[in-house]
Amino acid sequence: MQEIDWQPTATVATLHKRARLLAAVRAFFAERGVLEVETPVLGHGGSTDVHLASLSLEATTPAGRERLWLQTSPEFHMKRLLVAGSGPIFQLARSFRDGEVGGRHNIEFTMLEWYRPGFSLDELIEEVVALIRQVLDCDPGPLRRRRYRELFRKGLGLDPFSVDLNTLRRLAGERGGLDMRDAARDDCLDLLMSLAIEPTLGREGLDVVVDYPASQAALARRHRDPEDGEWVASRFEVYLEGLELANGYDELTDAAEQRARFAEDNAARRRLGLPEVAVDQRLLSALEHGMPTGSGVALGIDRLIQLALEKSSVAEVMAFATPRC
């Protein structure tokens, strides 16, 4: 009988180091009075985001046989806790995204997510940077704030907000070696961002990218770009050594707007031939009740540990990464 590869993908020594880093994360939040919470990995709704593939299963519940969704992040449940009056909270949550396997990805992974009622986006950026520096136990270099459209202007010689779609499709197709003739605008921008811009970020310190297109707001508010009044997303992403580490939002609290965005996502899924994802109605009910204003962020803790321990892939800091799970 052929022996199945049963061994862990991380060494035991690495797992000891990982445990110490996770303890440092918990100490970071304990010092700041942020409550650690645990929320379900299963929910009645999943992520409608067209760029994420939610996993689901059939389960027997008090209501009978139901479809439940493995959470792509703990966001929806944590926001319900905010509405219930939890105050600032954080979680090291098991999260799931189908098809995401590679040096930077795993189908099942650990998401560090936290929410700060009353925090501005700038205050949250400062806290994210402080956490990263504590986990790395070194100074990764200066912090630079980079505007999304300026990165495209400098790196690709175009304004992502005004360039015509055919030009964008042609450039994305050339860069990616793909047929992008029918691609949506954001798909072209995402491809160019990942191939031409992201690898250059965080090479001389921490880069924080802000003012993404309004169409990429996801669950964030929107605001006007002071340059020309164009709507942009009130969110940021943090990069180090070409790796995206964190994605933060000035959180959307408007239930009607959130409901409309979920509907837009599922409409886009239908157009693309993707399966629809059940909308989290309990989140919408919570937002109708009233969520406090503030900011929140999701950080890929496996990636941060990978950088801290100087490993080449996230699998090397996970006990059993896919496909050895």
Side-chain angles (χ1 to χ4, degrees):
M1 179 182 295
Q2 183 178 1
E3 183 179 5
I4 297 174
D5 194 354
W6 57 268
Q7 296 183 357
T9 51
T11 67
V12 172
T14 295
L15 295 178
H16 278 280
K17 294 176 182 176
R18 177 188 176 100
R20 287 195 292 271
L21 292 176
L22 293 179
V25 169
R26 289 187 163 97
F28 178 90
F29 288 111
E31 291 171 1
R32 288 160 175 77
V34 181
L35 175 69
E36 182 173 8
V37 298
E38 293 179 294
T39 59
V41 297
L42 290 173
H44 283 88
S47 173
T48 58
D49 189 325
V50 296
H51 298 104
L52 297 179
S54 295
L55 290 163
S56 64
L57 54 81
E58 293 286 329
T60 301
T61 74
R65 293 294 291 175
E66 289 191 280
R67 179 169 296 280
L68 298 178
W69 298 83
L70 287 161
Q71 300 300 285
T72 59
S73 93
E75 181 170 6
F76 296 168
H77 289 104
M78 292 182 77
K79 286 183 173 178
R80 287 164 59 187
L81 287 176
L82 292 172
V83 174
S86 66
I89 51 177
F90 84 97
Q91 181 171 187
L92 287 159
R94 303 304 291 176
S95 302
F96 304 83
R97 297 180 182 181
D98 194 18
E100 297 201 2
V101 179
R104 302 179 177 186
H105 300 90
N106 201 65
I107 292 174
E108 179 181 358
F109 60 98
T110 302
M111 182 80 82
L112 169 60
E113 194 149 329
W114 74 96
Y115 292 87
R116 283 292 211 162
F119 260 40
S120 68
L121 216 54
D122 287 339
E123 288 174 310
L124 186 60
I125 288 171
E126 290 179 6
E127 189 164 68
V128 171
V129 170
L131 175 89
I132 290 172
R133 286 177 169 153
Q134 179 159 319
V135 172
L136 294 178
D137 194 26
C138 68
D139 185 359
L143 174 67
R144 296 189 301 175
R145 188 181 292 257
R146 317 291 299 277
R147 295 179 68 239
Y148 180 94
R149 71 194 303 185
E150 287 302 325
L151 288 170
F152 274 79
R153 286 168 171 165
K154 182 178 179 180
L156 293 167
L158 60 85
D159 186 332
F161 293 178
S162 62
V163 63
D164 70 272
L165 182 55
N166 287 332
T167 299
L168 200 57
R169 285 169 170 167
R170 176 183 55 78
L171 184 57
E174 291 172 355
R175 289 282 182 146
L178 301 169
D179 183 357
M180 302 292 286
R181 286 174 293 182
D182 297 320
R185 188 177 193 86
D186 277 331
D187 290 337
C188 295
L189 291 175
D190 285 346
L191 182 64
L192 291 170
M193 181 73 174
S194 64
L195 294 178
I197 297 174
E198 285 186 356
T200 70
L201 296 175
R203 298 299 180 181
E204 300 175 2
L206 285 164
D207 280 334
V208 178
V209 181
V210 298
D211 295 342
Y212 284 77
S215 57
Q216 298 179 24
L219 278 73
R221 294 176 184 265
R222 294 168 175 150
H223 67 273
R224 295 283 190 181
D225 188 331
E227 177 180 323
D228 55 10
E230 185 85 33
W231 282 105
V232 293
S234 303
R235 52 174 288 229
F236 67 87
E237 292 190 5
V238 179
Y239 288 86
L240 181 61
E241 296 183 19
L243 275 176
E244 178 207 334
L245 292 179
N247 186 1
Y249 298 159
D250 180 357
E251 298 294 346
L252 181 66
T253 59
D254 186 306
E257 174 66 16
Q258 186 62 76
R259 189 182 300 275
R261 292 192 195 180
F262 283 155
E264 290 169 4
D265 284 348
N266 270 327
R269 283 181 163 274
R270 290 192 295 271
R271 289 194 301 272
L272 295 169
L274 299 173
E276 290 190 46
V277 176
V279 169
D280 193 320
Q281 298 296 338
R282 286 179 172 83
L283 171 65
L284 294 174
S285 293
L287 293 178
E288 287 170 355
H289 188 81
M291 191 176 91
T293 59
S295 298
V297 62
L299 186 148
I301 195 68
D302 301 307
R303 290 184 181 183
L304 183 56
I305 292 173
Q306 173 194 340
L307 289 178
L309 301 184
E310 299 181 333
K311 302 296 183 180
S312 61
S313 72
V314 293
E316 294 179 75
V317 299
M318 295 177 170
F320 296 101
T322 309
R324 216 182 291 179
C325 53

